[in-house]
């Protein structure tokens, strides 16, 4: 049998194949091998040097407006090849079209937003952070904080679940800031990231070295980082802990942003009834969040809280929605939910579910439904399972184990205060959603939950149509969360540029600060 193609890495502005047979990437539905990746033999240190010295210098020579133009050009390249990306996503991620769109179009949309926002920063080369502060008796001697692009590179070590969005949501603010990007995608789904970078580099719309992709092992990447580089990691808490302890971070002070796992919550208003609009919105969103991308979203609802009186009604209503979810081969039009990314993830979901079942029971179990057009012995297709416990206070595992698949746990609460306490037992999450027609309750819940969540998403009947979804990460809003979620911050409009800039205080005479201001612009959100 002939071997599948080895995807080249794209470094120093050109394709460079790794050595050896490489690691195979599979179709998670059919089980067939698709392509292989390798970075063996790649000179990482010189690839990084090229990115810093060539890519970084060329990007920094441009203004924000010019770099925003580069992002717009990248959007054009990607738009023209969307069909190819959908084909890769179907084959390598096993996603139905709607789920591929979240990743592919979500990534392109985010780039487009930063192109628009960057345009508004105009011809500046640096950003002003706040106003001038008088330092002494002499009015003329003042401090001005400024933000300048870091002279290092941005290394992204990404998770497997968003090979497109995971790249572009980080690359857009980095490139707009003038910082070159090297991405190491999660291996099981690296093909889409690799293809997109290859297309953009071949199109010649970015300076050489501005964008690179290294596929396969992450071994040695952190060793090659230098003090002015930044590292953005998305993945599991265990790998995050290794990264935090690496010399690059611990000794060379490489700035690091971590997006890790999260047990996100949904909270139904204590005043809701089974026929209220808030109840229906809650049910819809929980069922949707469980099934979009087969639950492989870091923001997906994992714990759903209802007033105790509505526990059974909510279980029945969510179960009825899940029962309509046909699972199987994404190429079959009858299928609503495709596969997990790999058989290894399938096993991991099964093991995680067994752990949760030590403290919960299945309220709806889709595992009895046959797969459509897929062989259960081969396909990494997991059916949705809604779990429940009547005693969430006594539970431990349910507040601690993130099952990265179509699984959530319904939990009843007895008082508003108890609900907030239970939600906080997630130890810091990316997002909590609140379902209520009462603005006062929503505001109270937002204040209670904001300190332990990067985002509070409130759904009321007025915004039923316009709300953007519990798990959808909009570039306008912060993405990240404290504690267990990694403590990171991404997006949030132009706030994201902060990670790729260095803040300094310039203490000088008014005349010098006036001259400085001529090439800087206020960072307005
Ligand atoms: P993972 O095993 O931690 O892998 C994440 C990335 O780290 C991959 O690129 C992986 O490469 C790389 N990696 C593995 N070991 C490493 C090491 N020792 N040093 C440096 N890099 C290393 O996580 P995963 O299982 O792929 O991702 C799923 C997790 O990501 C879930 O827990 C999910 O919650 C989380 N996630 C969080 C967010 C967020 O924004 N907060 C978004 C998506 C996913 P290989 O693939 O080659 O092993």
């Amino acid at each position: 049998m002939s071997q599948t193609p080895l995807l080249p890495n794209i470094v120093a502005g050109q394709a460079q194949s790794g050595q050896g047979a490489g690691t195979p990437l599979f179709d998670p539905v059919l089980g067939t091998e698709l392509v292989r990746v390798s970075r063996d033999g790649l000179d990482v240190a010189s690839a990084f040097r090229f990115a810093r010295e060539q890519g970084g210098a060329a990007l920094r020579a441009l203004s924000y407006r010019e770099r925003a133009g580069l992002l717009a050009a990248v959007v054009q390249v990607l738009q023209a090849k969307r069909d190819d990306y959908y084909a890769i996503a179907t084959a390598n991620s096993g996603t139905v079209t709607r789920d591929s769109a979240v990743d592919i179009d979500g990534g392109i949309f985010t780039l487009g937003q930063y192109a628009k926002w960057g345009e508004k920063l105009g011809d500046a080369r640096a950003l002003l952070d706040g106003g001038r502060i008088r330092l002494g008796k002499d009015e003329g001697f003042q401090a001005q904080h400024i933000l300048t692009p870091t002279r290092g590179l941005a290394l992204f070590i990404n998770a497997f679940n968003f090979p497109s969005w995971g790249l572009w949501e980080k690359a857009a603010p980095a490139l707009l800031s003038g910082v070159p990007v090297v991405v190491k995608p999660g291996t099981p789904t690296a093909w889409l990231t690799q293809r997109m970078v290859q297309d953009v580099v071949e199109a010649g719309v970015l300076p050489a070295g501005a964008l690179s992709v290294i596929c396969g092992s992450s071994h040695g990447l952190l060793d090659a980082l230098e003090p002015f580089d930044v590292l953005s990691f998305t993945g599991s808490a265990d790998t995050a802990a290794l990264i935090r302890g690496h010399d690059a971070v611990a000794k060379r002070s490489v700035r690091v942003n971590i997006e890790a796992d999260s047990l996100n919550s949904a909270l139904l208003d204590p005043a809701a009834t089974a026929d209220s609009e808030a109840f229906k919105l809650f049910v819809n969103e929980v069922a949707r969040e469980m099934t979009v991308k087969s639950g492989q979203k870091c923001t997906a609802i994992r714990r759903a809280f209802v007033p105790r009186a509505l526990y059974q009604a909510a279980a029945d209503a969510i179960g009825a929605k899940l029962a309509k979810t046909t699972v199987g081969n994404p190429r079959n039009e009858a299928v609503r939910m495709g596969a997990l990314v790999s058989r290894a993830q399938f096993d991991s979901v099964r093991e995680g579910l067994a752990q949760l079942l030590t403290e919960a029971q299945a309220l709806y179990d889709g595992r009895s439904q046959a797969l459509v057009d897929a062989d259960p012995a081969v396909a990494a297709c997991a059916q949705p399972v809604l779990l429940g416990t009547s005693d969430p206070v006594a539970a431990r595992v349910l507040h601690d184990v993130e099952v990265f698949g179509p699984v959530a746990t319904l939990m009843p609460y007895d008082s508003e205060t108890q609900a907030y306490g239970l939600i906080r037992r997630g130890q810091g999450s990316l997002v909590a959603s609140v379902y209520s027609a009462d603005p006062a309750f929503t505001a109270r819940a937002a204040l209670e939950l904001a300190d332990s969540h990067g985002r509070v998403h409130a759904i009321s009947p007025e915004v039923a149509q316009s709300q953007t979804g519990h798990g959808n990460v909009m570039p306008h809003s912060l993405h990240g969360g404290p504690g267990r979620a990694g403590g990171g911050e991404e997006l949030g409009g132009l706030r994201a540029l902060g990670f790729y800039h260095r803040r300094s205080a310039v203490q000088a005479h008014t005349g010098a600060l006036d001259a400085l201001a001529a090439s800087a612009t206020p960072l307005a959100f």
Side-chain angles (χ1 to χ4, degrees):
M1 200 184 97
S2 64
Q3 280 199 320
T4 54
L6 184 64
L7 301 179
N9 302 290
I10 311 290
V11 294
Q14 48 188 301
Q16 291 191 27
S17 290
Q19 294 165 354
T23 305
L25 272 49
F26 293 96
D27 182 317
V29 178
L30 307 177
T32 47
E33 186 178 318
L34 300 166
V35 289
R36 289 169 300 122
V37 294
S38 167
R39 44 144 299 209
D40 292 353
L42 204 69
D43 183 348
V44 173
S46 80
F48 280 15
R49 203 176 313 119
F50 187 94
R52 278 182 212 108
E53 292 176 3
Q54 308 287 318
L59 286 169
R60 283 196 311 277
L62 304 174
S63 67
Y64 292 97
R65 189 203 305 276
E66 287 166 326
R67 292 193 294 260
L70 298 184
L71 298 187
V74 172
V75 167
Q76 301 269 312
V77 173
L78 299 177
Q79 286 285 15
K81 307 230 174 201
R82 269 174 83 243
D83 290 351
D84 294 355
Y85 305 146
Y86 274 80
I88 292 174
T90 306
N92 191 202
S93 288
T95 37
V96 293
T97 305
R98 204 180 36 168
D99 288 349
S100 303
V102 177
D103 187 29
I104 296 166
D105 293 326
I108 297 174
F109 172 72
T110 302
L111 267 169
Q113 276 300 327
Y114 276 94
K116 278 189 207 148
W117 291 326
E119 169 80 25
K120 295 201 179 112
L121 294 175
D123 296 322
R125 307 289 164 129
L127 302 169
L128 298 175
D129 175 13
R132 295 181 195 177
I133 311 157
R134 199 173 121 181
L135 291 173
K137 283 189 185 152
D138 178 359
E139 268 185 32
F141 188 60
Q142 302 185 79
Q144 168 71 60
H145 288 89
I146 61 165
L147 299 166
T148 48
T150 189
R151 280 173 194 257
L153 59 78
L155 173 65
F156 304 154
I157 297 185
N158 280 358
F160 57 73
N161 58 338
F162 281 108
S164 164
W165 177 82
L167 163 62
W168 299 118
E169 61 111 4
K170 297 179 192 208
L175 294 171
L176 180 58
S177 298
V179 177
V181 166
V182 179
V183 59
K184 198 233 80 72
T187 299
T189 59
W191 191 9
L192 181 54
T193 311
Q194 188 277 346
R195 174 64 70 84
M196 287 178 143
V197 172
Q198 183 167 355
D199 286 345
V200 169
V201 170
E202 282 178 357
V205 294
L206 292 178
L211 183 62
S212 307
V213 61
I214 296 178
C215 299
S217 163
S218 54
H219 181 74
L221 295 185
L222 272 73
D223 298 334
L225 290 177
E226 295 184 352
F228 300 141
D229 296 334
V230 298
L231 167 62
S232 184
F233 170 78
T234 300
S236 65
D238 288 345
T239 313
L242 289 175
I243 285 177
R244 283 188 210 282
H246 191 279
D247 275 1
V249 179
K251 293 193 177 159
R252 299 198 288 280
S253 305
V254 166
R255 183 184 282 171
V256 63
N257 189 76
I258 291 188
E259 302 286 347
D261 51 17
S262 175
L263 282 133
N264 313 294
S265 302
L267 172 64
L268 179 61
D269 183 341
T273 56
D275 58 0
S276 63
E277 199 58 28
F279 179 85
K280 285 182 207 142
L281 292 167
F282 171 87
V283 166
N284 284 345
E285 201 69 8
V286 173
R288 197 160 66 90
E289 280 294 311
M290 286 176 68
T291 52
V292 172
K293 281 190 97 340
S294 302
Q296 300 170 108
K297 273 182 19 269
C298 49
T299 50
I301 295 170
R302 306 290 179 201
R303 299 176 299 149
F305 295 90
V306 291
R308 189 169 289 278
L310 295 180
Y311 181 56
Q312 193 55 50
D316 293 345
I318 297 167
K321 294 232 167 251
L322 295 176
K324 293 183 190 152
T325 308
T326 40
V327 184
N329 189 335
R331 297 162 184 88
N332 186 312
E333 288 195 354
V335 167
R336 301 268 301 274
M337 191 171 96
L340 301 172
V341 298
S342 65
R343 200 67 195 182
Q345 276 306 301
F346 179 83
D347 292 342
S348 160
V349 165
R350 204 164 44 179
E351 282 158 25
L353 195 49
Q355 269 186 287
L356 299 189
L357 278 165
T358 61
E359 290 185 348
Q361 62 185 76
L363 302 176
Y364 169 81
D365 194 342
R367 289 177 294 178
S368 54
Q369 307 265 356
L371 299 181
V372 177
D373 217 358
D375 177 354
V378 174
C381 292
Q383 297 97 334
V385 179
L386 179 69
L387 301 172
T389 174
S390 57
D391 192 1
V393 175
R396 286 178 46 247
V397 175
L398 296 178
H399 301 292
D400 191 45
V401 173
E402 180 204 45
V403 177
F404 212 56
V407 178
T409 307
L410 189 65
M411 305 189 192
Y413 65 84
D414 298 306
S415 70
E416 198 178 314
T417 309
Q418 186 193 56
Y420 299 138
L422 288 168
I423 289 173
R424 283 189 205 106
R425 285 182 59 189
Q427 300 290 319
S429 303
L430 296 170
V431 53
S433 52
V434 179
Y435 304 77
S436 173
D438 176 5
F441 168 72
T442 300
R444 206 161 58 238
L447 286 176
E448 286 286 339
L449 298 175
D451 64 301
S452 53
H453 293 78
R455 179 161 60 87
V456 177
H457 183 77
I459 304 184
S460 58
E462 303 92 314
V463 298
Q465 299 307 319
S466 58
Q467 64 103 0
T468 47
H470 163 108
N472 264 359
V473 177
M474 300 298 288
H476 316 66
S477 304
L478 188 75
H479 174 58
R484 176 178 178 149
E489 286 195 359
E490 291 177 345
L491 299 172
L494 289 173
R495 285 173 186 81
L497 271 55
F499 183 66
Y500 303 99
H501 285 70
R502 299 284 163 180
R503 180 182 287 110
S504 310
V506 179
Q507 300 175 324
H509 180 256
T510 310
L513 295 182
D514 287 345
L516 180 72
S519 50
T521 188
L523 180 59
F525 305 116

